[in-house]
Amino acid sequence: MINDRFNHIEIMPTVADFKPGFSNIITIPKDVLTVLSNGEYEFIKYSTGVVNIEIYPFMETASGLKLNLCDVSKDIRDKWNKVKGNGYIFQVESDSTKGGFSYELNLEKQYPAEKLRFVKYNYMKGNFEDVPPEKWYVFGGKLRCDKVSAGIYGIIYKD
């Protein structure tokens, strides 16, 4: 779907699977993102209904771009389940080395930003760390995070 109002092209999987162990892979062939930007489109929006991901032309690799929106491993899921107020957790894998994804998630609870934490899993330290507040905001029941890398992200609801 081409969305002229926002200067992007939106793609949706025919079936978005979010059961345990889910994996939703898309492959964008080489030069597609560059051609789109030359045609006045700023990004591709991968809309799954749970997590929406914006993909920008500068993220293209020598072979295009491969992206996987998937479930987290069991050991990380076990750590997440011990976090008080844990909400949705997801993982984005990509072959792009440039951090420029934007994520948009529907909130399970309609909390203002002050009552939320948006975190990213740090593999080196083995824990969840806050994403800097200037990288994300809440608007219309959604959390939006701009220009970040692939990785494991989660929402924590503070009571």
Side-chain angles (χ1 to χ4, degrees):
M1 169 171 58
I2 297 176
N3 189 331
D4 291 328
R5 184 174 147 215
F6 296 111
N7 294 327
H8 69 270
I9 294 176
E10 189 167 337
I11 58 174
M12 294 179 254
T14 51
V15 175
D17 176 14
F18 290 98
K19 297 177 185 129
F22 71 88
S23 180
N24 297 287
I25 299 172
I26 63 168
T27 302
I28 300 170
K30 182 177 177 6
D31 296 327
V32 167
L33 291 169
T34 304
V35 169
L36 288 175
S37 67
N38 292 340
E40 299 182 16
Y41 295 104
E42 295 175 24
F43 60 91
I44 291 178
K45 184 175 187 177
Y46 180 48
S47 297
T48 67
V50 176
V51 178
N52 299 323
I53 304 170
E54 293 175 6
I55 305 163
Y56 293 86
F58 66 85
M59 301 176 72
E60 188 170 79
T61 68
S63 60
L65 185 107
K66 186 173 182 180
L67 181 138
N68 185 14
L69 172 60
C70 56
D71 200 1
V72 299
S73 65
K74 182 185 179 327
D75 60 325
I76 294 173
R77 170 79 55 197
D78 289 344
K79 288 180 184 181
W80 182 248
N81 288 338
K82 294 175 184 172
V83 173
K84 184 179 186 248
N86 65 3
Y88 191 68
I89 186 172
F90 66 96
Q91 179 171 346
V92 174
E93 298 172 332
S94 174
D95 59 354
S96 177
T97 58
K98 298 180 179 151
F101 291 110
S102 292
Y103 304 125
E104 186 179 270
L105 300 92
N106 291 324
L107 295 172
E108 296 167 14
K109 300 177 183 178
Q110 300 303 308
Y111 281 15
E114 306 81 52
K115 294 212 167 223
L116 297 173
R117 287 179 58 208
F118 187 56
V119 296
K120 181 178 182 182
Y121 186 74
N122 183 323
Y123 288 96
M124 298 298 281
K125 295 180 180 176
N127 64 6
F128 295 95
E129 297 179 342
D130 287 289
V131 174
E134 60 272 7
K135 292 270 189 184
W136 64 275
Y137 59 94
V138 174
F139 179 75
K142 296 176 187 281
L143 183 143
R144 182 173 170 84
C145 184
D146 289 319
K147 307 293 188 254
V148 295
S149 62
I152 298 173
Y153 292 89
I155 298 172
I156 297 173
Y157 295 94
K158 299 187 284 187
D159 285 326

